[in-house]
Amino acid sequence: MIRLLSTLTAACLLAGCEGAKQDMYDQPRYKTYAPSPLFEDGAAARPPVAGTVPRARGAFADSSGGSKGADLVQRDIEAERAQTNPYPVDMTLLKRGQDRYMIYCMPCHSPAGDGDGLVVRRGFPAPPTYHQDRLRNVPDRHIYDVIRNGYGVMVPYGDRVEPADRWAIVAFIRALQLSQHAEVATLPPDVRAHLGGQP
């Protein structure tokens, strides 16, 4: 009986210790995007310190060494510095660009790039068509910078679209432009022959 009573007492004491230890897990903390009166901007989440350079990106960026995502950061840096599209324009790049375009650009710019997307049809200001001479003649870097920084009422997408994907979108926009404004003389001979007498 004494042994049973001792065992029950020890179990109760240990349970009490676990309850006290739980306070370490239940400390006061801010939830993501919670407001905070401690900072001037009123947000608990703090932006990176000016000049901060990421060492890693991706699923393993928060690992102890952070070295597993270092190659992605280097790829981003190279893509960000490029003045022209640094990737070979092939079907893989165009399909990736089309995929990203349909997610981020199509609601305003439309599938054809003429600026008549569903959002515009509901009252949002229409963006310019990609098929005008001014936008056909801008450098690729201009389109890249507009995606990253925004322009007019267009919000910046630099925080949502990775640098490599921005170049993929640029390639797809160029393909859209070509689809609506191809010079017959620049087409391959077999395509010209297929067109026959069409204008």
Side-chain angles (χ1 to χ4, degrees):
M1 182 71 171
I2 294 176
R3 187 172 184 170
L4 179 63
L5 189 58
S6 298
T7 304
L8 286 173
T9 304
C12 289
L13 288 174
L14 288 175
C17 289
E18 177 61 27
K21 189 173 118 182
Q22 190 65 31
D23 288 344
M24 294 175 65
Y25 299 107
D26 296 332
Q27 294 181 28
R29 65 188 181 278
Y30 286 112
K31 293 190 184 266
T32 307
Y33 305 117
S36 169
L38 296 175
F39 303 104
E40 288 181 22
D41 63 0
R46 307 312 314 140
V49 176
T52 300
V53 177
R55 290 186 53 236
R57 183 171 66 73
F60 296 105
D62 292 331
S63 62
S64 60
S67 59
K68 298 222 178 198
D71 57 333
L72 296 174
V73 172
Q74 187 58 39
R75 187 186 76 174
D76 287 351
I77 290 169
E78 291 168 7
E80 188 67 35
R81 289 180 180 160
Q83 293 302 307
T84 59
N85 200 331
Y87 303 106
V89 179
D90 55 13
M91 285 309 293
T92 303
L93 185 72
L94 289 173
K95 289 218 178 275
R96 179 66 179 182
Q98 180 183 28
D99 178 62
R100 302 290 94 183
Y101 178 91
M102 293 301 175
I103 293 169
Y104 296 107
C105 312
M106 184 191 67
C108 294
H109 291 275
S110 88
D114 59 6
D116 189 30
L118 291 176
V119 175
V120 173
R121 292 179 184 182
R122 287 169 174 76
F124 193 76
T129 175
Y130 290 131
H131 307 297
Q132 59 180 275
D133 287 337
R134 181 179 68 82
L135 290 180
R136 275 197 299 268
N137 294 323
V138 296
D140 289 350
R141 183 63 197 211
H142 173 79
I143 299 171
Y144 178 94
D145 288 338
V146 169
I147 295 169
R148 183 185 64 193
N149 302 323
Y151 188 85
V153 295
M154 177 181 159
V155 298
Y157 283 88
D159 62 339
R160 286 160 245 181
V161 182
E162 298 174 9
D165 285 343
R166 290 178 222 155
W167 284 118
I169 291 170
V170 170
F172 181 72
I173 289 171
R174 292 304 193 195
L176 277 178
Q177 290 172 328
L178 188 60
S179 75
Q180 301 297 311
H181 192 264
E183 301 280 340
V184 175
T186 62
L187 297 174
D190 59 328
V191 175
R192 281 193 307 240
H194 179 70
L195 287 174
Q198 299 178 17

